[in-house]
Amino acid sequence: MRARKLLGILILLIVCGAVLAGCIFAGLLEKSVVAKDVDQPLSPDQMKSLAQRGAYVAVAADCYACHTTTGGAPWAGGLPFKTPFGTIYSTNISSDPDNGIGNWTRADFHRAVRDGVGKGGRHLYPAMPYASYRKMTPEDVDAVYAYLMSRPPMKVANPANELTFPFNIRQGLTFWNLLNLSGDTQTKDAARSDVWNRGRYLVDALAHCGECHTPRNLTQGMIQSDYLKGAMLEGLFAPDITKDGLTRMGFTPQLLAGFMKSGLSAQGAMTNQMYEVVHFSTQYMTKDDLDAMSAYLFGLDALPKDATPPAPPKAVPVAADVASSARNTYLGLCASCHGAEGQGIPHVVVPLATNASLRLTSARNLIHTTLNGIPARRFPGLERMQPMPAFKDVLDDRQMADLANWMRATWGGEPPNVKAEDVAEIRKGH
Amino acid sequence: MTLAMRKLSLTVNGKTIDPVDVPETMMMQDFLYEYLNLTGSRMGCGQGICHACTVIVDGDDGAMREIRTCITGAHWFAGKKVRTVEGHATRDASGAITALSPVQQAFIEHFSFQCGYCTPGFVTGATVLMDELKRKPVRRADLEKTISEALDKHICRCTGYVRYFEAVRDVILKTPGLVKA
Ligand code: FES
Ligand code: FES
């Protein structure tokens, strides 16, 4: 009797579970943040007047960097994203009706950008940062829609994603959305200044900084309690950009705003994915907006006038044998460009003595860059940085570890805790 | 300001250089010019781009490596075996050249260069490439691509590279064992 009762409960639980999973899968539990009024199409006049502002919103949201390949047709997509589950390609968002979004309605576009559900109910992969764009205002989404629709159609087909089962089932994203999409799209805090609020909106919604700088949980959702505290990204560390992290790297609010504009500062040059961010997005943003982002990131209601940089970190002692091996390497391979005192060459090579990569908790970025180099880069204005050679064939793991420890201890004030094995791991691409 | 000095000894073109005081921060190119009067490694850009200044370092494993002397400190070469462009040809007891190296000869025959400023770098680069092919021959079909990739970093302001390219292809094809079927 008892056993039968238990069995009955078990069956009931399984059935309920299955029904619930079915409901989730069918999208019944998904909460749209898009209001009904966008079902009303925009008039041609509205489209025209919105498009201009939309160009700026799209810049701030950095749409172009992902939706265009290097040398590819503008807005035609095709940029590969390598994820643990396979490769996803960004899509054509030009106004082409066959391959792009030419026949998407205003409502289709709103739902894609803010709910992650494309035309015809097709779920988007969260490589598209809809978890952040969810906080965009309907006005800004309209503006981007109008702008994109004003772009010429690009007849470029979308490459098929290469995802493994079950991740190739788009509808499965209903589960991800349930776990990781917040229904709260509020970015206004009445207690803070307009500048702070504008900064928060730019950082959280448009510039989607958290997508890279906030660590992710097992389901690849952003861990809100570690908001902007830094995360691993394709073998590199996207640094902590909270007030503490920024201060540690040597930034002041003023310096940070300037760094987003020019991509260069005493802390180094924007590298890796941030290079593209400067190139396609932040260099074109207004001073007010960059100031607002910086003020918000530093937790301030306004950008302070004072631009005195924080005091440089105090050198940490290193073992004599490490120091002598590292100094040899430094003078032999680094000093001709970065200077014997780590001062760099203005407009050519970044300084190392004040370099942010020596002050991060992790030495990973420094080691990765030293081993693999950086191509020549152009920056806003007439700035150019020469290429950094790759030293992976020249330095062994021990030499690299010594060099990293000595530089980080001497200039970055960081404990010399890099081991040769750490270098070996980074060398292997882990 | 006094320059911090350190003793340096190394082998250059087969000759052992006895320990000599060299400023810690001196680049190899300056050492070759100022201490050894070897002026063949050209200073082009001085910042690691043009590869006019390269020399060969013979590794312990027997493999050659091409190193830029303008951005590499003299002391980095301590104890190493270095070959500059002056060390490629065969010489008699008096030091007179009796035969150019196959790469040098090919560049002459193909009229590969005009002003010749970039040539020491190309001689070095092509010699290192041949050394690599000796140990790891390429398929004939991949040869052109291999040459372009290997010498791509060398900049020449005069020639447009075609005759350098043809000379290198020629000498590789003429040397047995560098190309497989
Ligand atoms: S002079 Fe050395 S690379 Fe140009
Ligand atoms: S021959 Fe003049 S630079 Fe090459």
Side-chain angles (χ1 to χ4, degrees):
Chain A
M1 198 54 208
R2 187 115 181 251
R4 276 184 68 181
K5 207 165 164 188
L6 269 178
L7 188 70
I9 294 176
L10 194 66
I11 290 174
L12 195 69
L13 276 177
I14 292 174
V15 170
C16 285
V19 169
L20 183 66
C23 288
I24 297 174
F25 192 75
L28 298 182
L29 268 62
E30 277 192 324
K31 258 197 255 106
S32 174
V33 291
V34 176
K36 271 266 156 268
D37 59 357
V38 298
D39 288 340
Q40 173 78 31
L42 294 162
S43 73
D45 277 351
Q46 283 174 312
M47 288 290 275
K48 227 171 139 184
S49 64
L50 276 170
Q52 202 181 357
R53 199 172 65 80
Y56 183 77
V57 181
V59 157
D62 203 11
C63 312
Y64 192 86
C66 292
H67 284 284
T68 307
T69 56
T70 323
W75 305 107
L79 194 76
F81 290 80
K82 296 213 163 46
T83 76
F85 319 112
T87 303
I88 315 177
Y89 295 89
S90 68
T91 52
N92 187 331
I93 54 166
S94 74
S95 63
D96 184 50
D98 302 319
N99 306 292
I101 58 168
N103 58 15
W104 285 36
T105 63
R106 178 191 183 193
D108 290 337
F109 189 75
H110 275 257
R111 290 224 42 197
V113 170
R114 299 186 69 203
D115 290 341
V117 181
K119 190 174 180 63
R122 220 169 113 95
H123 279 76
L124 271 50
Y125 287 101
M128 159 77 177
Y130 59 86
S132 300
Y133 289 164
R134 196 163 179 80
K135 295 183 173 144
M136 279 174 73
T137 61
E139 295 73 31
D140 276 357
V141 180
D142 275 342
V144 176
Y145 175 66
Y147 170 66
L148 288 175
M149 286 305 195
S150 75
R151 301 295 86 204
M154 293 294 154
K155 300 223 167 297
V156 179
N158 289 304
N161 292 334
E162 296 136 20
L163 287 168
T164 50
F165 179 82
F167 306 105
N168 54 356
I169 304 172
R170 285 172 177 269
Q171 195 64 21
L173 284 158
T174 45
F175 289 91
W176 191 89
N177 291 345
L178 187 70
L179 291 173
N180 298 305
L181 276 196
S182 99
D184 171 25
T185 57
Q186 190 53 269
T187 58
K188 273 249 176 312
D189 181 344
R192 305 300 304 245
S193 70
D194 286 349
V195 169
W196 185 94
N197 274 303
R198 174 68 181 163
R200 184 188 193 182
Y201 176 68
L202 285 163
V203 165
D204 285 1
L206 294 183
H208 57 281
C209 308
E211 299 278 342
C212 295
H213 289 278
T214 299
R216 291 177 182 270
N217 59 26
L218 270 183
T219 70
Q220 297 296 306
M222 288 179 265
I223 305 171
Q224 287 311 329
S225 55
D226 287 336
Y227 173 66
L228 299 184
K229 283 197 186 149
M232 277 289 290
L233 192 71
E234 295 174 1
L236 285 151
F237 196 68
D240 178 346
I241 53 165
T242 63
K243 177 175 191 277
D244 289 349
L246 291 166
T247 311
R248 180 189 189 106
M249 288 189 273
F251 285 110
T252 61
Q254 296 264 4
L255 282 174
L256 180 66
F259 190 47
M260 290 191 282
K261 182 85 192 168
S262 69
L264 296 171
S265 75
Q267 285 66 35
M270 291 281 198
T271 345
N272 303 309
Q273 301 201 11
M274 278 310 290
Y275 174 74
E276 262 90 46
V277 172
V278 173
H279 202 71
F280 294 116
S281 176
T282 53
Q283 69 160 311
Y284 300 111
M285 290 173 74
T286 62
K287 179 163 177 0
D288 282 351
D289 276 351
L290 292 175
D291 286 357
M293 286 171 82
S294 190
Y296 167 70
L297 288 169
F298 275 91
L300 301 167
D301 278 318
L303 207 69
K305 290 269 170 308
D306 179 25
T308 330
K314 258 184 61 192
V316 170
V318 248
D321 59 329
V322 172
S324 108
S325 139
R327 216 173 105 78
N328 259 340
T329 307
Y330 186 83
L331 291 177
L333 300 177
C334 317
S336 77
C337 298
H338 290 290
E341 304 302 325
Q343 72 274 29
I345 306 172
H347 314 292
V348 180
V349 183
V350 297
L352 286 180
T354 49
N355 201 283
S357 66
L358 307 188
R359 302 185 183 188
L360 300 175
T361 29
S362 155
R364 174 174 278 273
N365 292 7
L366 172 66
I367 295 169
H368 192 283
T369 306
T370 311
L371 294 179
N372 300 304
I374 308 175
R377 289 271 162 93
R378 53 171 64 210
F379 284 89
L382 294 172
E383 295 287 349
R384 300 282 187 280
M385 288 287 129
Q386 73 170 45
M388 150 113 178
F391 289 96
K392 59 172 181 283
D393 296 334
V394 186
L395 293 173
D396 63 26
D397 294 346
R398 175 82 269 148
Q399 290 171 318
M400 180 69 243
D402 287 349
L403 179 66
N405 281 330
W406 176 75
M407 290 204 293
R408 281 167 58 80
T410 311
W411 288 320
E414 288 299 318
N417 51 12
V418 177
K419 294 189 289 294
E421 301 85 82
D422 302 337
V423 178
E425 282 299 299
I426 297 173
R427 198 188 281 277
K428 275 189 267 168
H430 295 312
Chain B
M1 183 181 138
T2 52
L3 287 175
M5 295 283 189
R6 223 183 317 146
K7 293 271 185 238
L8 172 63
S9 73
L10 70 166
T11 308
V12 178
N13 299 332
K15 273 203 253 26
T16 311
I17 312 293
D18 291 331
V20 44
D21 276 327
V22 178
E24 274 194 328
T25 52
M26 181 171 259
M27 289 300 130
M28 182 60 165
Q29 179 151 57
D30 295 324
F31 175 74
L32 291 174
Y33 276 54
E34 306 298 335
Y35 284 68
L36 306 183
N37 200 25
L38 293 173
T39 55
S41 314
R42 300 280 190 247
M43 162 68 87
C45 62
Q47 56 186 72
I49 313 291
C50 72
H51 288 71
C53 65
T54 57
V55 295
I56 294 173
V57 171
D58 287 303
D60 297 334
D61 53 354
M64 295 180 188
R65 194 187 268 166
E66 184 178 12
I67 307 280
R68 284 162 279 187
T69 57
C70 69
I71 56 164
T72 311
H75 286 280
W76 187 82
F77 294 84
K80 295 191 165 76
K81 289 197 203 77
V82 174
R83 206 164 348 148
T84 69
V85 73
E86 291 90 345
H88 286 250
T90 319
R91 292 174 193 262
D92 63 18
S94 70
I97 290 173
T98 53
L100 293 174
S101 78
V103 169
Q104 288 173 317
Q105 191 60 42
F107 284 172
I108 302 247
E109 280 163 14
H110 283 263
F111 295 95
S112 294
F113 48 89
Q114 288 179 28
C115 79
Y117 203 79
C118 62
T119 312
F122 274 95
V123 169
T124 303
T127 307
V128 170
L129 171 62
M130 287 182 64
D131 177 66
E132 275 165 22
L133 296 182
K134 211 183 295 167
R135 273 169 292 114
K136 228 176 131 221
V138 280
R139 292 211 322 260
R140 175 63 189 88
D142 296 333
L143 181 60
E144 276 79 3
K145 196 168 136 261
T146 306
I147 297 172
S148 299
E149 278 170 8
L151 298 182
D152 190 40
K153 51 188 188 261
H154 287 269
I155 292 178
C156 172
R157 287 274 122 118
C158 304
T159 67
Y161 306 101
V162 175
R163 292 175 180 208
Y164 269 132
F165 180 85
E166 287 171 352
V168 174
R169 180 173 56 191
D170 200 36
V171 68
I172 289 175
L173 287 174
K174 270 206 231 138
T175 311
L178 304 189
V179 174
K180 38 185 194 191

